[in-house]
């Protein structure tokens, strides 16, 4: 197990089977730089086109089709003192009648104060002069190459991950992805200094990052992305409409409860029916994201 520092010079707007930029062994840790969703780097220089240019792909030795790539998010450190968002609310979250009155899209700049641990609008509108939410870094878009030689735009998501914008993809979380090609071909980027559920303005606070992740190859098969925090396990469904994403996430959780916790479908239904929690990830981009989450305190390993 080793720690590798990689400085990217090329970025991708699709997650697919591009030539690997770097190779790592199972168990290795990667420290690398990512740029923001519009292609701005740590100096606020434009170095790649939008949407969501990715760093990668990284080839993980020993990862084969049918395996699972576990990615522990060790650290997400903003690499500049500003980020940006859009307003107003996205049309996907408004009643149709309200869209008529929706103001024009504007880009706002936020100050990222790492010493204070907060973010602030540089020019706040009336009523938000004291608004300073805590920095809560997360990865908006990451995943592995999809099956069948496909390449998916970083504007969307699927079974291989992608632009999920789920707030629990944060430091301390282990994300699991189904491997479809040799080496998995892992991409990451689109870091947010802060974001509410759903990415309902079309952005989080978009900024560049230094990210540290650690890889583990699991010799097991999954269908949709999964994740684990200190308190919870969760499964991800990516689709549109929203109910289809929920169905994918729910079915993947039922499978997980059977595989690792010894619960048949009837037992899983009793447990899930009372303690499951659903979180909304991205509801802005082409595929929506739903997370099906269960607290570990309800679970016993089989």
């Amino acid at each position: 197990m080793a720690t590798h520092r990689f400085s990217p010079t090329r970025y991708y707007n699709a997650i697919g089977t591009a030539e690997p930029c770097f190779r790592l062994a199972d168990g290795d840790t990667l420290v690398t730089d990512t740029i923001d969703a519009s292609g701005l780097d740590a100096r606020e220089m434009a170095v790649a086109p939008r949407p969501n240019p990715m760093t990668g792909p990284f080839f993980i030795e020993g990862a084969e089709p049918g395996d699972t790539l576990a990615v522990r998010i060790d650290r997400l450190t903003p690499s500049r003192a500003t980020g940006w968002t859009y307003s107003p609310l996205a049309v996907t979250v408004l009643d149709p009648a309200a869209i008529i009155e929706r103001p024009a899209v504007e880009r706002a700049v936020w100050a990222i104060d790492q010493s204070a641990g907060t973010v602030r609008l540089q020019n706040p509108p009336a009523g938000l002069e004291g608004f300073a939410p805590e920095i809560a870094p997360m990865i908006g878009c990451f995943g592995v190459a999809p099956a069948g030689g496909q390449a998916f735009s970083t504007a969307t998501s699927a079974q291989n991950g992608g632009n999920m914008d789920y707030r629990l993809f944060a430091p301390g979380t282990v994300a699991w992805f189904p491997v479809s090609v040799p080496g998995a071909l892992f991409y990451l980027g689109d870091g947010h200094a802060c974001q509410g559920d759903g990415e309902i303005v079309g952005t989080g606070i978009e900024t560049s990052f230094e990210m540290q992740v650690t890889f583990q190859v699991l010799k097991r098969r999954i269908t949709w992305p999964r994740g684990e925090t200190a308190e919870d396990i969760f499964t991800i469904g990516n689709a549109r409409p929203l109910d289809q994403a929920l169905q994918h996430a729910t079915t993947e959780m039922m499978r997980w409860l059977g595989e690792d916790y010894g619960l048949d479908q009837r037992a899983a239904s009793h447990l899930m029916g009372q303690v499951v929690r659903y979180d909304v990830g991205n509801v802005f981009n082409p595929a929506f994201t739903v997370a099906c989450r269960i607290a570990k305190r309800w679970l016993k390993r089989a």
Side-chain angles (χ1 to χ4, degrees):
M1 294 182 287
T3 297
H4 305 274
R5 181 69 171 85
F6 176 77
S7 297
T9 58
R10 183 177 181 181
Y11 305 91
Y12 292 88
N13 301 108
I15 296 177
T17 54
E19 188 68 22
C21 66
F22 197 80
R23 288 176 176 255
L24 299 100
D26 182 9
D28 281 0
T29 295
L30 169 70
V31 180
T32 194
D33 302 308
T34 64
I35 57 180
D36 77 19
S38 66
L40 301 180
D41 67 8
R43 303 164 297 163
E44 296 195 61
M45 300 290 291
V47 295
R50 63 176 68 214
N52 300 330
M54 295 284 102
T55 299
F58 296 94
F59 188 103
I60 313 303
E61 301 285 354
E64 297 292 339
D67 293 344
T68 293
L69 182 67
V71 182
R72 188 181 73 216
I73 304 171
D74 299 320
R75 178 173 58 85
L76 303 174
T77 304
S79 55
R80 67 178 197 250
T82 61
W84 57 272
T85 59
Y86 285 138
S87 67
L89 293 173
V91 297
T92 52
V93 300
L94 293 173
D95 287 334
I99 295 171
I100 300 171
E101 302 172 355
R102 182 173 175 262
V105 173
E106 289 184 351
R107 186 176 182 274
V109 177
W110 296 68
I112 301 171
D113 187 341
Q114 295 196 60
S115 60
T118 59
V119 291
R120 280 181 187 272
L121 282 162
Q122 286 191 346
N123 296 296
L128 294 184
E129 294 86 354
F131 181 54
E134 294 180 357
I135 296 173
M138 53 166 284
I139 303 178
C141 185
F142 67 149
V144 296
Q150 300 176 90
F152 291 157
S153 166
T154 55
T156 194
S157 57
Q159 289 174 271
N160 64 307
N163 192 34
M164 298 174 286
D165 294 306
Y166 179 44
R167 292 194 306 115
L168 285 192
F169 286 133
T173 295
V174 179
W176 296 8
F177 297 100
V179 176
S180 297
V181 302
L185 297 183
F186 174 77
Y187 298 72
L188 78 171
D190 186 31
H192 300 167
C194 184
Q195 181 208 285
D197 288 342
E199 201 189 42
I200 61 173
V201 295
T203 69
I205 298 180
E206 310 285 343
T207 194
S208 55
F209 273 84
E210 181 178 85
M211 298 187 177
Q212 178 175 319
V213 296
T214 299
F215 300 102
Q216 182 182 8
V217 177
L218 307 177
K219 294 299 179 180
R220 62 180 301 169
R221 184 183 295 271
I222 63 175
T223 304
W224 288 90
R226 300 180 182 183
E228 183 173 0
T229 71
E231 295 82 24
D232 301 297
I233 64 170
F234 61 86
T235 51
I236 296 290
N238 299 312
R240 196 162 181 170
L242 195 66
D243 59 350
Q244 187 175 2
L246 184 146
Q247 290 162 6
H248 293 321
T250 305
T251 304
E252 187 72 10
M253 180 60 77
M254 183 179 66
R255 292 191 191 106
W256 197 353
L257 294 178
E259 293 163 0
D260 286 14
Y261 300 97
L263 301 182
D264 65 16
Q265 290 194 30
R266 194 173 303 280
S269 71
H270 287 310
L271 177 72
M272 295 172 69
Q274 307 312 315
V275 302
V276 78
R277 297 292 181 264
Y278 287 106
D279 300 329
V280 176
N282 192 302
V283 289
F284 174 75
N285 291 122
F288 293 162
T289 296
V290 171
C292 179
R293 179 169 53 87
I294 293 178
K296 289 180 177 178
R297 66 191 180 96
W298 302 113
L299 303 172
K300 295 181 180 178
R301 289 272 178 183

